[in-house]
Amino acid sequence: MKVAIDDLQFNEAGLIPAIVQDETTGTVLMMAWMNEEALEKTVETEEAWFYSRSRKELWHKGATSGNIQAVTSVLYDCDGDTLLLLVNPAGPACHTGAESCFYRTFDGSPLPKATMLNVLESLVKERKTNPVEGSYTNYLFDKGIDKILKKVGEENAEVIIASKNEDRGEIVYETADLLYHLTVLLAERDISWEEIMLELKKRHKK
């Protein structure tokens, strides 16, 4: 991995903003600052390093939490004054435990559609870890793998029927049901959607 540092425009403090994006899901994870040394260490180690303006020192993302970000690419914009890091994160980017630091909206509207599968996965995993009385998700986990597999089969059949009937609304509705039950199945088997996306990515490269 190479970066043309001479093409970059650092500010008067010698810093440049770096946006971090999950390479697999496309989720924007965080924004932090880099100086030239942090950028060089990022390129050298292929793990994200930043500069703390408050502590006035370099910091290695995940050094304490274990949520290291493996950097696959470093891009810069047309003006050369902003970086974009594509990463494979080992865990949540935000200190709150959220996948991304950008998890709030001004008006309380839903998160962008691209992250909804991740939100669903997080909720299902939370239910598995901390059961809630009356939760349908916990009902499925309690009934076990055979019940979950049965529901996946049923929802798959519903998608097929809706598609044969050329009912657009039903196709959308039943596909959402199928994705939900697949998410429960994956959580039951301790498999993440990220693993599925990585497999698709491998196939795309081939």
Side-chain angles (χ1 to χ4, degrees):
M1 179 170 47
K2 295 182 179 179
V3 176
I5 290 182
D6 291 342
D7 292 340
L8 301 179
Q9 302 295 322
F10 293 85
N11 66 18
E12 61 278 3
L15 302 176
I16 189 170
I19 299 167
V20 182
Q21 183 178 27
D22 188 313
E23 182 189 41
T24 302
T25 66
T27 302
V28 176
L29 300 176
M30 58 180 284
M31 177 270 175
W33 293 90
M34 283 183 160
N35 61 6
E36 196 167 318
E37 185 181 1
L39 179 55
E40 289 173 345
K41 288 186 73 68
T42 296
V43 173
E44 176 187 347
T45 64
E46 297 187 350
E47 293 181 355
W49 285 76
F50 303 104
Y51 181 81
S52 170
R53 293 177 298 173
S54 59
R55 298 193 305 272
K56 300 189 185 317
E57 63 182 14
L58 296 185
W59 60 284
H60 182 198
K61 176 62 178 174
T64 302
S65 66
N67 299 329
I68 290 170
Q69 295 173 341
V71 180
T72 59
S73 298
V74 179
L75 295 80
Y76 57 98
D77 71 343
C78 54
D79 294 323
D81 60 4
T82 303
L83 299 176
L84 174 64
L85 275 59
L86 300 183
V87 306
N88 288 315
C94 185
H95 73 281
T96 64
E99 176 198 15
S100 167
C101 292
F102 300 98
Y103 63 90
R104 297 176 293 182
T105 58
F106 281 110
D107 58 2
S109 59
L111 294 174
K113 295 177 183 177
T115 68
M116 284 309 299
L117 199 57
N118 296 327
V119 172
L120 174 61
E121 179 180 56
S122 296
L123 179 59
V124 168
K125 288 181 177 179
E126 172 66 20
R127 287 288 187 271
K128 185 180 181 184
T129 305
N130 301 299
V132 174
E133 186 177 355
S135 164
Y136 175 66
T137 301
N138 286 130
Y139 164 78
L140 292 174
F141 284 134
D142 290 343
K143 288 295 183 181
I145 189 64
D146 287 342
K147 179 65 174 179
I148 295 171
L149 291 173
K150 181 181 178 182
K151 290 301 298 181
V152 169
E154 289 175 356
E155 298 304 336
N156 185 58
E158 293 292 344
V159 171
I160 293 172
I161 293 169
S163 299
K164 288 289 288 183
N165 292 337
E166 299 183 11
D167 189 325
R168 183 182 180 86
E170 279 299 303
I171 294 172
V172 171
Y173 185 88
E174 298 299 345
T175 300
D177 275 353
L178 176 59
L179 286 173
Y180 161 76
H181 286 91
L182 280 173
T183 302
V184 175
L185 172 60
L186 292 176
E188 175 66 16
R189 287 295 182 243
D190 292 320
I191 297 173
S192 68
W193 274 114
E194 182 178 5
E195 293 176 70
I196 307 301
M197 298 304 172
L198 286 172
E199 176 61 26
L200 289 172
K201 182 179 173 183
K202 290 178 187 176
R203 299 182 189 185
H204 175 68
K205 286 185 176 180
K206 290 179 183 178

